Amino acid sequence: MLGGGRCHFVPNTTDGSCRHDDRDVIDLAKKKGFNYVSDRKGFDGLNFGTGVKLPLLGLFADTDIPYEVDRRNMDDVYPSLDEMARTALTALQDATEDSDKGFFLMIEGSRIDHAGHGNDPIAQVHEVLAYDKAFSSVLDFLARDDVEGVLVGTSDHETGGLATARQLHDTYPEYHWFPSILANASHSAENLAYQLRDHIAGHHISPIEIGIKNPPRSPASLDQASPSLSPDSPELKQYIRHLLSTGLGISDPTSTEISRLAHSSSDPWPASYILADMISRRAQVGWTTHGHSAVDVNIYASDPEQAGPLSGNRENTEIGKFLSEYLDLEDEMGVVTRELKEWKEGREWMGKVLPDRQVRNKGDHYEGDFRKRGVLECG
């Protein structure tokens, strides 16, 4: 297992933990025989898989590994999705060389979804390109290997409702979008928002210095920072212009945009949303939501004959069924399913079930604009 999310593996007695208990999952994994690596040096020691001793746990960031558009500037800190994919493929190939069972590997470009939630076209396009690079590496692996294998690539949903040729005004739109605008940006909106937050808090760190190496600090630590800049400070507005120019390639910010970013701590939108919208409008990239959409997603495969059962329109559950049949795991999957059902008796997957009286809107009918779906209280 390789990726980020280290905070989920360390006990809540540790700084930076995001667990609700004091379990040390890293220590537990080590006791179960897992080898553990936690930084770029440790990853490089894996030698793209030939130096791997399985089982392996590699956690290279406290939370998410930064967006690829930011990570590429800190390649000495974080491995890429492609590097992790190639390492895993080689390690699993070597481990199953004398086995007739083969292996299954899941590679997730998870931050494509995050960029969609943030409506950030800069992060989005670089995440898709990073996924495409890993995808190509898997195809190359299958072409070189003499053991039969198949790649299936898909998504569980679309996020953001991405569209080109955005309508910016009430007048009938021209059919344009400007991808060249995106090529001028060097950082994600998320990264620039962290830089702005630190600068406002009085930590005058240049955009290059902060890069993505320094993790975002907690609101509590920012409250203690002093002195903080006034939202109407000329120095702050100058800094914002510099940040927009160097980070997003925007040289024509409006006074309203500058003001919203300067007052972002009190704006209904977080700074990352404001920044993402600024670049989206200029590129005429449209979004319908910060959540998931009902857009159909594609299914890709390395071999049209082997993956023939997945051609056409398919339900998402058919992908799992195809893979279990391809790997001849129907019996094993049945055993696991029964165990999970037995374990679930008396439990709930998502925690405590709220009483019906606490649910305001079950979403089955229209109740007017801007009605937030949720619960009246969360205990």
Side-chain angles (χ1 to χ4, degrees):
M1 180 185 294
L2 303 173
R6 187 166 45 231
C7 71
H8 296 282
F9 290 75
V10 295
N12 59 6
T13 54
T14 304
D15 288 342
S17 171
C18 47
R19 290 188 65 84
H20 297 292
D21 58 38
D22 60 357
R23 297 191 70 186
D24 187 335
V25 182
I26 294 175
D27 184 62
L28 178 63
K30 290 178 179 178
K31 291 178 179 177
K32 295 287 185 178
F34 276 77
N35 295 285
Y36 175 62
V37 291
S38 60
D39 54 24
R40 182 75 208 209
K41 182 179 179 180
F43 178 81
D44 289 343
L46 302 176
N47 197 28
F48 282 102
T50 60
V52 169
K53 294 181 179 180
L54 297 175
L56 173 67
L57 175 64
L59 304 172
F60 307 110
D62 287 336
T63 54
D64 297 304
I65 289 179
Y67 286 122
E68 178 62 20
V69 66
D70 303 315
R71 188 213 64 82
R72 63 183 183 174
N73 299 318
M74 300 297 294
D75 190 58
D76 61 329
V77 180
Y78 306 101
S80 68
L81 181 67
D82 178 60
E83 289 175 306
M84 290 186 283
R86 289 158 58 195
T87 297
L89 285 168
T90 299
L92 292 171
Q93 180 188 44
D94 291 347
T96 57
E97 185 177 12
D98 299 321
S99 169
D100 61 352
K101 298 297 184 183
F103 65 84
F104 170 83
L105 174 63
M106 187 180 82
I107 303 169
E108 182 181 13
S110 63
R111 302 226 69 191
I112 297 174
D113 170 69
H114 296 174
H117 282 297
N119 288 181
D120 185 346
I122 303 301
Q124 181 79 285
V125 69
H126 285 278
E127 288 304 303
V128 172
L129 290 173
Y131 180 84
D132 184 67
K133 187 175 182 180
F135 193 100
S136 296
S137 290
V138 177
L139 292 178
D140 290 343
F141 172 86
L142 291 172
R144 293 192 312 268
D145 196 31
D146 58 2
V147 178
E148 178 188 332
V150 66
L151 174 155
V152 176
T154 189
S155 173
D156 53 343
H157 56 75
E158 192 273 346
T159 303
L162 174 66
T164 55
R166 174 175 177 171
Q167 181 170 345
L168 298 176
H169 310 288
D170 291 339
T171 55
Y172 193 81
E174 297 182 19
Y175 302 143
H176 290 316
W177 84 289
F178 305 107
S180 60
I181 296 293
L182 306 181
N184 296 327
S186 60
H187 290 80
S188 68
E190 176 185 85
N191 176 268
L192 296 175
Y194 290 152
Q195 294 187 40
L196 177 60
R197 186 178 69 174
D198 276 350
H199 192 83
I200 291 175
H203 294 264
H204 303 291
I205 306 172
S206 73
I208 295 177
E209 285 176 323
I210 188 171
I212 57 173
K213 203 166 193 173
N214 299 330
R217 288 170 290 114
S218 66
S221 67
L222 292 178
D223 291 341
Q224 297 166 6
S226 179
S228 61
L229 289 173
S230 164
D232 298 316
S233 163
E235 190 277 335
L236 177 57
K237 293 180 180 179
Q238 181 182 3
Y239 175 81
I240 291 174
R241 290 181 183 277
H242 170 76
L243 196 69
L244 293 172
S245 176
T246 58
L248 292 181
I250 292 177
S251 59
D252 63 342
T254 66
S255 57
T256 299
E257 290 172 331
I258 295 291
S259 179
R260 286 192 70 187
L261 288 170
H263 292 80
S264 57
S265 62
S266 58
D267 195 280
W269 275 18
S272 61
Y273 281 15
I274 300 171
L275 290 160
D277 187 60
M278 289 177 66
I279 194 70
S280 293
R281 290 179 65 84
R282 285 162 173 79
Q284 289 192 215
V285 173
W287 306 87
T288 63
T289 178
H290 282 287
H292 300 162
S293 77
V295 173
D296 284 345
V297 297
N298 295 339
I299 303 175
Y300 302 95
S302 57
D303 189 307
E305 293 185 5
Q306 290 181 330
L310 295 179
S311 63
N313 293 331
R314 297 293 170 183
E315 293 292 332
N316 60 354
T317 54
E318 292 182 67
I319 298 173
K321 184 174 185 294
F322 164 77
L323 291 173
S324 65
E325 291 176 352
Y326 180 83
L327 295 171
D328 194 23
L329 292 175
E330 298 100 316
D331 293 341
E332 289 85 346
M333 294 297 292
V335 172
V336 172
T337 300
R338 287 193 296 273
E339 288 181 356
L340 287 172
K341 287 182 176 179
E342 292 173 1
W343 179 89
K344 185 180 179 294
E345 291 299 323
R347 297 182 175 93
E348 291 296 333
W349 291 107
M350 302 302 291
K352 180 181 177 182
V353 178
L354 293 170
D356 286 341
R357 63 181 176 80
Q358 286 187 292
V359 179
R360 179 163 58 204
N361 177 11
K362 294 191 176 183
D364 56 354
H365 63 283
Y366 177 71
E367 293 191 3
D369 288 347
F370 310 116
R371 288 289 183 90
K372 183 174 178 60
R373 183 169 175 235
V375 296
L376 295 177
E377 56 180 305
C378 296

